[in-house]
Amino acid sequence: MHGQKRAEYKARLLQPDTRAKLGSKAQQWNHLSEELLKQRRRLFASPPPLSDTVTTTEGAANGGDAAAAAETAPSPEVLLALTEKMLSVNPDPSHLWNIRREMLVYLIQSSQPSAIDTAGDNQEGDDNNSSKPSTLDIEAELKLTAHCLQRNPKSYSAWFHRKWALAYFMNGTSNQEHWANMKSILQSELELCAQFLQLDERNFHCWNFRRFVVGLLGSCGGSDVTTTSENDGEVNNANDAPSTKSAVDNFTGSWLAWMYQIEDEDKAVWMGPQISQNACRAVGMSTSCQERNNRAANSTTAPLSKIELEKIIMNEWDFSTAKIQDNFSNGSAFHYRSKLLPLMLEFRSADDSPSSQSDAYEAISLARDEWDGIVLDAIFTEPDDQTIWFYHRFVVTWARRNIVSVGNGDGSDAEVTEEFEGLLYDMVDSIQELIDVEKEDSFQGNSQDRHESKGAKCKWAYLGMHLVLSTLLELKSNDVDDEDKTELCERAKECLHELIIIDPDRRERYQILESELI
Amino acid sequence: MAMISETAAPVGPFYDDLHTKYIVTLGDKLDSPSSYEGAVTEHLRVSGVYWSLAALALLRNEDEVDDLMGLTKPIQAATEGTEKNKIRSAIVDWVFQCFDARVGGFGGNCSGENPHDAHLLYTLSALQILAISDSLDDERLDKDAVANYVSSLQNEDGSFSGDEWGEIDTRFTYIAFSCLALLKRLPLPDWSSNSTQVVSEEKPIIDTCKAVKYIMSCRNFDGGFGCVPGAESHAGQVFTCVGALSIAQSLHLLEDADLLSWWLAERQCDSGGLNGRPEKQADVCYSWWILSALSILGRVDWINTGKLGQFILNCQDDEDGGIADRPMDMPDVYHTFFGLCGLSLIGQLEKIGSKEGRNYRQIDPVFALPTDVVTRLGLKAQVISNGGVDVEKRLQLHSILAI
């Protein structure tokens, strides 16, 4: 059993009380399991009659038969209650969540007025019930999944159901009040993420969920609400903004649907869909703006303004900063930051005079901010945590990539390179200082209380130094100044020699790196 | 470069007898109506059975596995308790009861007559069980239906959903490729034309090309892969992505195999075990996820295999058999299987077998099946020969990309 101490676990199982209790729980579970599947099969063999809220003439005629049939056919509500009971104990079985979703969709779809009634001609039944199809009780699903996630914060199925419920509920939003409510729910979800990450800051399910919520939030659109014309139901053009390729994209958690203002080839990698479009369509989520607009009484949302878009992203950027400052070893936060950093460059790029040179300077400036603001502190606080150094490597290589495209041939690329080299030399100085401090520290005796993942002291500092020196060498590859290059090369080799001594397990790689230096 | 065959054998006993007993008695234990563990894991039983069978298959030959587990014939229940004389139906027969004809995939178990909902996870495990028992040509297997099920789960962006409810994850891409490969229905990409090969004028059952491109879009700053674009690198996801690229003969797309291999090598902790992400604890199952990826990438020697072997042995339960996630923890069949796989991939299992006087089998790093099964089925993936060095014998059944 994952993560359970053997001696304790076995001892517990030997106690007759515990065995009896577990035994009876097992029998209860098995009974419910078989019952549930049996009932579900019966339900689909003979579906119960449509509910009273449907106002078609056929519905009214079936009234008498409904009562009789209801006695023998299992009810969706009962199945829902069964799934809730079982999932509260064991949230992992995905088929239980499937059954739950089936019942929820069934109940909602069977309460929808038929297509004829939208025009309002055929209302024979109660006016009170006819125009209000029931929507998902989102609070119930959020409550159940929250309970499940407290038991098992790493349950794929529970997290997925929470996403699905939010998407499905959002699809049901149709007027301004609903949109405000939706945004408020999503803000609470961000809060929930923050809480879960307090308990386990590396829970990747939660980080993915956060990105999903941000995806939905962006899809809620801007606050500049447009209304349809009252006279002929004509839809305002903004609703068909090119931003939303397909409305169903808005429910998948992807950031693509509303990041239309960013001109970056790597758009796709920011955050991809976590629910498939096909699955969204299969349960009736809107496939076009027009469909949604037809359902909306009088308003819908406008696309996000650039300011609103930036606000959402900056909130995420600040969140990653906060998590890193809480704990420099937070690899998940650094990973997120690595996705957001290119976006920061987008925001800083001058709209009015875009040039690859100004972009290059911005990139170097951002890299310097990351170095001065985050990495420097981190490496002096936790010098042996590889996370920070992997991020350092990323910042250096990312900045490098952003200046390589500058080549106007008018000497401007030399200036850009010089600026970047300045930053790199600063890094060399600081890393050397760190190495000196760490080595001094080791002579005074290290603490034995090191996490097993840390590895040898100074290893990562040497690797970081090697990276910076190699980058400098690369930049100077066309330079005539051999002395400078020779010195850099010698220094880089020294790092590798140190590494072979202190980290012999990976000497193969260091030898390869040395051969690349020549 | 140090070849894995040169690594020193780990110190300490290997509990062949206990592990075998652990695996063989597990089924009856979990099947008991009063087994709590059985109840809470019933939904993934098909996968549990695959892990058991594949683990035992490394330690015993085909006939022994069949006899001990009741793979193709009914078997008498082997355990204590009231059901001593109960006959359990053959595993293969039970697998077919898990087939969800409504969609064409396999569920994780069945309750009475009703199979659990189909899912890609359990579909692959089912096919793997059939592969091990040489039952893929059983007339009960509707290969078209299963292939169509897999096909129906591919999305417009090339990704795969786990089931009709739409959860997307790169694990499912690997699974889709593996299922179709086992069914001999996987169309390969034709990178010269940047499209999926067309066979006899029919539309390819999946767009393998698009699926591969989707995998690459999940690449991160550290060279690793996550479950969707934007998700953090994780050793498990790295295996599924590299494995998928391997099955689709597309490893050349990995522009920086060095960076990824290094990230994987840096998963080795002081204890010798491997973790799944930086700053996390070592866990035996990563012996599989990481060693399989490194095997495909041709860089197993980038970790200290001796220390890893020692770590795995330290995770054995010396009382009741089985292997746990870390030393002194409670074992389970998942970690038992992956621990044995780890020992196999570092070349230690064979040596241990010789000491036991047995002919242990080897695991294939791409399909997670014994190599003789992979050979018998004619499955062919791709592996990298790093710097043109000779590839280990077990991998020579695959095509070799020398880069």
Side-chain angles (χ1 to χ4, degrees), chain B residues 97-278:
Chain B
Q97 285 182 343
C98 298
F99 182 66
D100 183 0
R102 187 184 52 100
V103 292
F106 287 84
N109 205 335
C110 54
S111 282
E113 293 171 350
N114 300 312
H116 289 191
D117 296 0
H119 194 287
L120 274 185
L121 288 168
Y122 309 125
T123 302
L124 178 60
S125 295
L127 291 178
Q128 286 168 318
I129 293 171
L130 296 178
I132 292 172
S133 62
D134 200 4
S135 310
L136 282 171
D137 290 326
D138 189 307
E139 59 182 8
R140 289 172 289 181
L141 178 64
D142 187 346
K143 289 185 181 175
D144 286 335
V146 181
N148 287 333
Y149 174 63
V150 172
S151 171
S152 74
L153 294 172
Q154 184 168 32
N155 300 307
E156 281 158 34
D157 60 4
S159 66
F160 281 86
S161 304
D163 67 7
E164 64 201 300
W165 293 97
E167 182 189 6
I168 301 178
D169 191 312
T170 47
R171 286 179 295 155
F172 306 143
T173 307
Y174 168 79
I175 287 173
F177 284 4
S178 194
C179 283
L180 291 179
L182 285 169
L183 296 170
K184 307 290 193 150
R185 300 258 203 290
L186 178 73
L188 290 175
D190 174 6
W191 291 113
S192 59
S193 68
N194 217 20
S195 62
T196 305
Q197 282 173 359
V198 176
V199 176
S200 61
E201 305 297 315
E202 280 177 24
K203 184 170 171 248
I205 191 159
I206 60 162
D207 189 340
T208 314
C209 211
K210 226 179 190 179
V212 167
K213 287 182 185 166
Y214 175 79
I215 293 276
M216 293 314 296
S217 78
C218 297
R219 202 156 169 269
N220 292 319
F221 75 107
D222 43 28
F225 295 87
C227 31
V228 289
E232 185 183 348
S233 299
H234 182 281
Q237 310 295 146
V238 168
F239 162 69
T240 58
C241 291
V242 170
L245 291 175
S246 167
I247 298 177
Q249 310 271 346
S250 304
L251 286 167
H252 63 283
L253 295 178
L254 270 180
E255 285 163 357
D256 200 348
D258 270 352
L259 179 64
L260 173 58
S261 303
W262 176 47
W263 187 84
L264 290 170
E266 291 297 348
R267 298 305 106 240
Q268 188 156 36
C269 301
D270 293 341
S271 59
L274 306 171
N275 62 23
R277 292 181 279 168

Side-chain angles (χ1 to χ4, degrees), chain A residues 240-275:
Chain A
D240 298 310
S243 60
T244 31
K245 301 173 345 188
S246 149
V248 76
D249 273 336
N250 291 346
F251 308 113
T252 64
S254 146
W255 288 17
L256 272 179
W258 44 276
M259 296 287 268
Y260 49 91
Q261 296 177 55
I262 308 293
E263 295 300 323
D264 191 310
E265 278 158 23
D266 282 332
K267 262 199 248 208
V269 309
W270 291 330
M271 199 60 205
Q274 297 183 50
I275 306 179

Side-chain angles (χ1 to χ4, degrees), chain A residues 163-200:
Chain A
K163 291 174 202 170
W164 183 91
L166 286 166
Y168 194 67
F169 180 70
M170 182 161 148
N171 173 70
T173 47
S174 54
N175 64 37
Q176 184 51 20
E177 198 191 309
H178 288 176
W179 283 114
N181 184 36
M182 190 69 217
K183 285 186 193 178
S184 155
I185 289 173
L186 291 173
Q187 291 294 348
S188 299
E189 290 302 296
L190 289 181
E191 264 310 305
L192 178 114
C193 283
Q195 280 167 31
F196 266 96
L197 290 177
Q198 286 279 29
L199 297 171
D200 177 3

Side-chain angles (χ1 to χ4, degrees), chain A residues 7 9 62 74-75 101 129 131 133 163 188 205 231 263 266 285 299 312 319 387 392 396 412 451-452 462 485 499 512:
Chain A
Y9 191 90
N62 270 349
S75 98
R101 285 188 282 266
N129 292 334
S131 56
K163 291 174 202 170
S188 299
H205 299 273
N231 292 334
E263 295 300 323
D266 282 332
M285 291 194 213
S299 67
I312 292 179
F319 185 76
T387 295
H392 169 246
V396 168
S412 57
H451 190 276
E452 57 168 337
Y462 280 118
K485 285 201 283 186
L499 284 165
I512 293 171

Side-chain angles (χ1 to χ4, degrees), chain A residues 1-6 9-10 22-23 25-27 29-30 33-34 37-38 40-41 90 92-95 98 101-102 156 160 164 202 204 208 211 268-279 281 283 329 331-332 335 338-339 385-387 390-391 393-394 451-453 455 459-460 463 503 505-506 508-510 512 516, chain B residues 1-2 33-37 39-40 42-43 111 113-114 116-117 119 154-157 161 163-169 171 217 219-222 227-232 234 237 258-259 262-263 265-271 275 277-283 301-302 304 307 316-320 325 328-332 335:
Chain A
M1 292 279 89
H2 200 253
Q4 301 261 11
K5 287 271 166 277
R6 197 160 84 212
Y9 191 90
K10 289 189 186 182
L22 289 177
K25 278 189 186 176
Q27 282 172 339
W29 175 275
N30 291 329
S33 182
E34 201 165 327
L37 284 171
K38 220 188 332 177
R40 182 235 219 152
R41 204 177 196 163
N90 180 10
D92 290 332
S94 57
H95 70 284
N98 290 355
R101 285 188 282 266
E102 267 173 15
Y156 282 96
F160 178 70
W164 183 91
R202 301 301 300 281
F204 65 80
N208 287 344
R211 288 183 276 262
V269 309
W270 291 330
M271 199 60 205
Q274 297 183 50
I275 306 179
S276 85
Q277 291 175 343
N278 292 343
R281 288 191 192 101
V283 294
S329 307
S332 311
H335 160 80
S338 77
K339 297 295 179 191
D385 275 0
Q386 44 181 271
T387 295
F390 271 110
Y391 185 69
R393 171 171 300 261
F394 163 70
H451 190 276
E452 57 168 337
S453 69
K459 163 183 166 177
W460 289 96
L463 279 165
D503 188 26
D505 284 351
R506 279 163 275 263
E508 307 286 356
R509 180 166 182 264
Y510 303 137
I512 293 171
E516 286 168 6
Chain B
M1 300 230 217
S34 57
S35 164
Y36 183 76
E37 200 188 313
V40 299
E42 61 151 359
H43 62 282
S111 282
E113 293 171 350
N114 300 312
H116 289 191
D117 296 0
H119 194 287
Q154 184 168 32
N155 300 307
E156 281 158 34
D157 60 4
S161 304
D163 67 7
E164 64 201 300
W165 293 97
E167 182 189 6
I168 301 178
D169 191 312
R171 286 179 295 155
S217 78
R219 202 156 169 269
N220 292 319
F221 75 107
D222 43 28
C227 31
V228 289
E232 185 183 348
H234 182 281
Q237 310 295 146
D258 270 352
L259 179 64
W262 176 47
W263 187 84
E266 291 297 348
R267 298 305 106 240
Q268 188 156 36
C269 301
D270 293 341
S271 59
N275 62 23
R277 292 181 279 168
E279 270 74 65
K280 300 283 263 166
Q281 278 185 291
D283 182 325
D301 53 0
W302 281 29
N304 185 323
K307 279 194 190 167
Q316 298 176 96
D317 180 344
D318 57 358
E319 296 165 336
D320 301 312
D325 56 344
M328 302 318 291
D329 271 1
M330 191 69 189
D332 56 58
H335 289 93

Side-chain angles (χ1 to χ4, degrees), chain B residues 328-391:
Chain B
M328 302 318 291
D329 271 1
M330 191 69 189
D332 56 58
V333 75
Y334 170 91
H335 289 93
T336 303
F337 174 50
F338 291 127
L340 292 175
C341 286
L343 287 172
S344 172
L345 288 173
I346 60 176
Q348 289 300 318
L349 195 62
E350 245 180 329
K351 291 189 185 143
I352 290 170
S354 313
K355 277 210 284 187
E356 299 284 321
R358 289 188 179 276
N359 218 9
Y360 285 168
R361 291 194 258 176
Q362 294 185 319
I363 195 79
D364 172 71
V366 180
F367 295 101
L369 292 166
T371 49
D372 58 289
V373 174
V374 173
T375 306
R376 174 175 30 88
L377 293 172
L379 302 176
K380 201 180 180 85
Q382 184 189 53
V383 297
I384 290 175
S385 152
N386 184 26
V389 171
D390 277 342
V391 150

